[in-house]
């Protein structure tokens, strides 16, 4: 269980590589990296969006297929190619008027650390690096790319009384 007042959370921000995608990346014949996606993460992301919990992505990944996937799930705030994530996070927060305590951020490696030190609810997958685990208030039982996104979204929606609250939850 996440040891935080999840009723405060208005947005969840995810990294991609090592969080919503497994940390091992296959290379295509063209030399381009391929990402995995988790179907249960996808279900939770689209449901959260429908229920008014804003989901955002801030990633160093530059693969347009990643943006296409998450746009298809209703995510509007997708920031690819972020070599430094902090400025993007601050602009995102300002755009919607969020306070740090209203933000959950899920990261797995050093580029996520600056943001995780600011947000109210820093979380990570089971296979995150040690520095990220130490900065997190919750370490998922799931590996990155294997349902950790679903884990934290489900806990948040349940704490807010929104999980499976109506028939809209039973479809895509």
């Amino acid at each position: 269980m996440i040891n935080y007042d999840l009723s405060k959370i208005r947005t969840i921000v995810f990294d991609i590589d090592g969080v919503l995608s497994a940390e091992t990346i296959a290379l295509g014949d063209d030399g381009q990296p391929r990402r995995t996606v988790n179907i249960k993460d996808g279900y939770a992301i689209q449901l959260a969006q429908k229920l008014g919990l804003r989901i955002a992505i801030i990633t160093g990944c530059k693969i347009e297929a990643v943006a296409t996937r998450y746009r298809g799930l209703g995510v509007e705030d997708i920031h690819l190619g972020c070599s430094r994530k902090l400025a993007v996070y601050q602009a995102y927060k300002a755009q919607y008027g969020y306070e740090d305590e209203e933000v959950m951020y899920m990261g797995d490696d050093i580029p996520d650390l600056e943001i995780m030190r600011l947000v109210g609810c820093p979380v990570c997958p089971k296979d995150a690096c040690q520095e990220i685990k130490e900065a997190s208030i919750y370490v998922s039982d799931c590996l990155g790319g294997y349902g950790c996104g679903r884990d934290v979204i489900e806990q948040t929606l349940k704490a807010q009384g929104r999980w499976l609250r109506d028939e809209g939850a039973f479809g895509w």
Side-chain angles (χ1 to χ4, degrees):
M1 292 291 288
I2 300 172
N3 186 17
Y4 191 76
D5 180 0
L6 296 175
S7 68
K8 294 180 182 179
I9 299 300
R10 295 176 54 207
T11 184
I12 302 177
V13 182
F14 290 101
D15 177 30
I16 292 292
D17 296 330
V19 175
L20 293 179
S21 179
E23 67 181 3
T24 300
I25 300 173
L27 292 177
D29 291 340
D30 59 0
Q32 293 299 310
R34 306 284 189 244
R35 299 321 195 271
T36 59
V37 295
N38 182 282
I39 298 304
K40 290 182 177 132
D41 284 349
Y43 170 77
I45 288 169
Q46 64 81 34
L47 180 61
Q49 294 285 130
K50 283 194 242 179
L51 298 177
L53 180 62
R54 184 170 289 279
I55 303 296
I57 293 170
I58 301 175
T59 180
C61 169
K62 298 176 184 176
I63 306 299
E64 189 57 35
V66 169
T68 300
R69 163 69 177 162
Y70 293 101
R71 264 192 236 105
L73 296 173
V75 179
E76 297 174 2
D77 299 287
I78 302 169
H79 306 277
L80 301 179
C82 300
S83 60
R84 293 290 306 264
K85 298 180 179 187
L86 184 59
V88 174
Y89 167 70
Q90 290 171 330
Y92 170 73
K93 192 175 68 163
Q95 178 181 355
Y96 294 101
Y98 295 135
E99 299 295 327
D100 288 323
E101 61 268 8
E102 298 172 317
V103 180
M104 177 185 289
Y105 184 93
M106 184 172 244
D108 73 309
D109 209 348
I110 301 304
D112 303 305
L113 193 55
E114 287 180 305
I115 297 173
M116 293 182 73
R117 288 178 173 159
L118 293 177
V119 300
C121 190
V123 297
C124 69
K126 182 178 183 176
D127 54 346
C129 75
Q130 189 60 38
E131 292 86 353
I132 295 297
K133 287 180 178 178
E134 290 170 4
S136 296
I137 62 170
Y138 175 74
V139 178
S140 176
D141 289 335
C142 302
L143 300 171
Y146 292 92
C148 63
R150 163 71 175 260
D151 175 23
V152 299
I153 291 171
E154 184 174 332
Q155 286 191 58
T156 302
L157 292 175
K158 283 180 176 178
Q160 294 178 354
R162 299 198 247 180
W163 182 254
L164 305 182
R165 75 171 186 198
D166 62 32
E167 64 185 45
F170 300 102
W172 284 80

